[in-house]
Amino acid sequence: MAKKIVVIPGDGIGSEITGSAVEVLQKTAERFSLELEYEYKDAGGTAYDKFGTPLPEDTLEACKAADGVLFGAVGGDKWDSVEPALRPEKAILGLRKGLGLYANLRPVKVADTLAEYSPLKPALVSGVDLVIVRELVGGIYFGDKCESEDFNGTERAWDLENYSVPEVQRIARLAFETARLRSGRVTSVDKANVLATSRLWRRTVAETAKAYPDVELNNLYVDNCAMQLAVRPAQFDVIVTGNLFGDILSDEAAVIGGSIGMMPSASIGELTSLYEPIHGSAPDIAGKGIANPIGTILSGAMLLRYSLNEEAAAQAVEKAVEEALADGWRTADLWHEGFKKADTQTMTKAVIDHL
Ligand code: IPM
Ligand code: MG
């Protein structure tokens, strides 16, 4: 039976990069005799312009019924003045909540071909191979909030952070399972010296760890982790953390890998899972055909791996990307003298040629 993939291009460069990823998926499907069907849906600012909402019900329903969701990017200055509840970002937050995408996996592996793009010295990035496991549907992102209220005659706003034991157990288990398939080490990141939610987090992770005696567990405060990522990133295997800390640390970790344009992510849920590059919608280059499609192509590889259980196909895509880079192809964000300059289409073709 054909597997159904919902494609949500979103805003800005979204349609260009998801277009590339679908071409690569299609070629991979031919090579591995997979039957894939694509259904395109709106979300983000584009959906707001058309339907007055960043996440139409029909998009959410289609995702629920899909084997996997491929997501481009949302947002842009055009919607900066839209009221908070209808901002394009609400589409991704609504999908996470609506699909129960409780875990975000962001792998950072520094290929030798890309080490030169890292802001860190080559000796520091050599051997970096880590994955951030970020809790995605809880914490301060989804707690009660108040945009504005009167407080003793002054205006204030607030966001509430809460985590329940089952929420922490669920993400901790996924982190330990992930570590088992890698180097068997988990670093749990919190701010337990200050925050009550972090103290519950730390004790729940320690409790959950008892079922995984083969995995090594360490704890780090988030400020120290931010520093360790910059001074000795190769020490990490799996980093598990809450929603807000994970948001911040994953951008930091991504840049260690050289280019944010290269980084894929998987958001794992109980019904279905969603795959997206970690970069944004880059409105400044939208429509020019020069965006780097690799983060999205590699997100497609993660979709093959986690949603379709097609490990060999996933690896074929990852290898094709490595080979296209080894051939010297670089999109504008990474190009310099000595390389072959590729626009989005050329880069996509270079990957497909290696499949
Ligand atoms: C991310 C993004 C989102 C987040 C935004 C767009 C809401 O930064 O996926 O990391 O904060 O989670
Ligand atoms: Mg982020």
Side-chain angles (χ1 to χ4, degrees):
M1 219 173 77
K3 299 285 185 190
K4 198 171 90 192
I5 298 172
V6 167
V7 182
I8 302 179
D11 308 322
I13 58 172
S15 59
E16 296 157 62
I17 55 179
T18 51
S20 295
V22 168
E23 276 181 55
V24 171
L25 279 175
Q26 217 17 60
K27 180 73 188 178
T28 313
E30 280 163 31
R31 220 200 98 189
F32 288 83
S33 311
L34 312 175
E35 222 184 306
L36 305 183
E37 251 170 35
Y38 309 91
E39 192 181 345
Y40 287 81
K41 293 290 172 187
D42 290 304
T46 320
Y48 172 80
D49 289 346
K50 278 199 210 164
F51 310 108
T53 167
L55 181 58
E57 198 49 43
D58 160 64
T59 298
L60 184 59
E61 289 309 312
C63 292
K64 283 185 186 164
D67 291 294
V69 180
L70 182 70
F71 189 90
V74 292
D77 335 328
K78 187 179 166 201
W79 301 283
D80 271 353
S81 55
V82 170
E83 67 167 286
L86 295 176
R87 287 181 61 96
E89 290 78 7
K90 282 284 168 188
I92 185 69
L93 297 176
L95 281 167
R96 287 172 186 171
K97 201 69 180 173
L99 299 174
L101 307 175
Y102 68 94
N104 187 226
L105 305 186
R106 296 187 173 182
V108 178
K109 193 170 176 173
V110 185
D112 290 343
T113 41
L114 297 177
E116 64 161 302
Y117 298 101
S118 178
L120 299 185
K121 296 186 190 84
L124 286 183
V125 291
S126 159
V128 169
D129 182 1
L130 61 88
V131 56
I132 297 194
V133 177
R134 166 188 176 193
E135 198 291 325
L136 206 57
V137 289
I140 198 167
Y141 269 59
F142 291 97
D144 281 350
K145 56 179 87 255
C146 169
E147 297 290 333
S148 170
E149 71 176 10
D150 177 76
F151 180 71
N152 295 337
T154 54
E155 185 187 9
R156 73 171 184 183
W158 48 264
D159 301 272
L160 183 74
E161 160 116 334
N162 60 60
Y163 267 118
S164 68
V165 167
E167 279 177 306
V168 180
Q169 284 169 334
R170 179 169 67 170
I171 192 78
R173 281 195 295 264
L174 189 84
F176 289 119
E177 302 284 349
T178 306
R180 270 192 175 157
L181 303 174
R182 301 172 44 95
S183 307
R185 288 176 296 120
V186 169
T187 305
S188 173
V189 174
D190 61 41
K191 188 70 186 171
N193 49 347
V194 179
L195 303 176
T197 40
S198 282
R199 287 187 282 273
L200 178 135
W201 177 283
R202 192 175 279 219
R203 109 171 109 75
T204 307
V205 171
E207 196 56 43
T208 311
K210 291 182 181 157
Y212 302 86
D214 50 320
V215 177
E216 184 189 317
L217 170 66
N218 285 299
N219 297 290
L220 276 186
Y221 294 139
V222 62
D223 47 352
N224 188 14
C225 181
M227 184 178 71
Q228 293 298 326
L229 276 170
V231 296
R232 217 161 56 79
Q235 70 185 280
F236 295 108
D237 181 21
V238 175
I239 294 177
V240 63
T241 189
N243 208 342
L244 181 62
F245 297 157
D247 178 48
I248 299 165
L249 294 176
S250 60
D251 268 30
E252 185 190 3
V255 84
I256 291 168
S259 164
I260 198 164
M262 300 285 191
M263 301 295 163
S265 81
S267 299
I268 306 293
E270 269 143 19
L271 289 176
T272 186
S273 298
L274 178 147
Y275 303 84
E276 58 173 323
I278 89 156
H279 61 72
S281 59
D284 52 321
I285 58 162
K288 294 189 177 155
I290 58 169
N292 184 345
I294 289 182
T296 320
I297 291 173
L298 291 174
S299 298
M302 291 186 92
L303 186 154
L304 290 166
R305 170 171 296 122
Y306 294 111
S307 283
L308 307 186
N309 254 318
E310 297 289 346
E311 179 61 30
Q315 283 184 19
V317 173
E318 288 163 352
K319 187 158 159 279
V321 166
E322 266 170 39
E323 288 171 355
L325 293 168
D327 276 354
W329 291 108
R330 296 287 186 279
T331 41
D333 51 328
L334 299 179
W335 181 86
H336 63 74
E337 214 52 66
F339 286 120
K340 300 187 276 193
K341 196 163 193 169
D343 57 14
T344 309
Q345 255 319 305
T346 312
M347 194 71 203
T348 308
K349 190 174 171 301
V351 173
I352 287 175
D353 285 345
H354 283 285
L355 272 167

